[in-house]
Amino acid sequence: MSTPLLSQAKEKAANTEDPMMKNYLIGFDLVKKGDWDGAIDALLQSVYFARNSYAPLSYYWLGVSYEAKHQDLKAIEAAKKYIEQCQANCVKGHLLLAELYIRNNRLDEAESECNDSIGDAGLTPDGARGHYLYGKIYEQKEEY
C-alpha cells in the first residue's frame, strides 16, 4: 500500500544508494509530515539495513515516532539505543527519555535524564528544555 506521502518521500531518497540511508531519509521525511506509521516502517528498515544495527539517528526518530503513537515502551527502548550509539552530544535522547518517563510517572528516572541532558547541553535551548522538564517533574510530585 503506497500513500502519497510515502511516494513523495521515496522520490526524495531515490538518488541514495545505501539502503540504510535511503530508508532513513524516507523515514525522516515522513516524520516531518506526521505520517507516524510510515515513518516507523521506514526507520525500522533503516535499522535493519544498518551495519551492526548502528543507526543512531534512525533510533532517535523511531523513538519520536513511537512517542507520537503513545507506544512508550518501544519509544523508551529506541531512545536508549540512540543514547547507547551516540558519539558525542546525546542531549535530545536524554530529553526524549525524560518526557517519556514523566508521561509514565517514572519520575526518578526522568530526573536522572534531565540531569544528564542539562550536563550535556549547558546554556543552550536544549539545556533550557531540561530545566523546564525538571519543573514538570516537581509539579507532578507536588513539590513546589
Side-chain angles (χ1 to χ4, degrees):
M1 179 173 104
S2 182
T3 65
L5 291 178
L6 185 58
S7 61
Q8 288 173 2
K10 284 183 179 178
E11 283 177 32
K12 265 186 155 176
N15 295 331
T16 307
E17 290 184 23
D18 179 16
M20 185 280 272
M21 185 54 76
K22 182 177 184 175
N23 283 292
Y24 166 75
L25 292 172
I26 291 168
F28 182 66
D29 198 39
L30 292 170
V31 165
K32 291 190 290 186
K33 293 175 180 174
D35 181 358
W36 305 117
D37 291 323
I40 289 169
D41 290 342
L43 292 166
L44 285 172
Q45 285 296 310
S46 174
V47 169
Y48 174 78
F49 284 116
R51 181 174 293 159
N52 298 326
S53 294
Y54 179 78
L57 290 176
S58 295
Y59 278 115
Y60 174 76
W61 291 111
L62 192 57
V64 169
S65 299
Y66 280 133
E67 179 188 30
K69 300 261 310 160
H70 290 275
Q71 295 178 1
D72 291 349
L73 292 177
K74 290 180 180 180
I76 288 168
E77 288 307 310
K80 285 181 177 179
K81 260 317 211 187
Y82 165 72
I83 291 171
E84 182 182 301
Q85 294 182 358
C86 184
Q87 295 281 323
N89 190 341
C90 304
V91 175
K92 292 193 182 305
H94 292 298
L95 291 172
L96 177 61
L97 273 176
E99 290 170 352
L100 290 161
Y101 288 148
I102 289 170
R103 184 156 76 184
N104 289 283
N105 204 30
R106 295 166 62 175
L107 302 179
D108 291 336
E109 293 166 293
E111 196 168 348
S112 174
E113 293 301 329
C114 284
N115 191 34
D116 290 345
S117 73
I118 291 169
D120 287 349
L123 299 173
T124 65
D126 287 334
R129 178 90 179 131
H131 285 286
Y132 169 76
L133 290 174
Y134 257 130
K136 300 262 303 175
I137 291 167
Y138 287 110
E139 181 179 54
Q140 200 161 335
K141 286 182 176 182
E142 296 182 356
E143 294 178 7
Y144 299 104

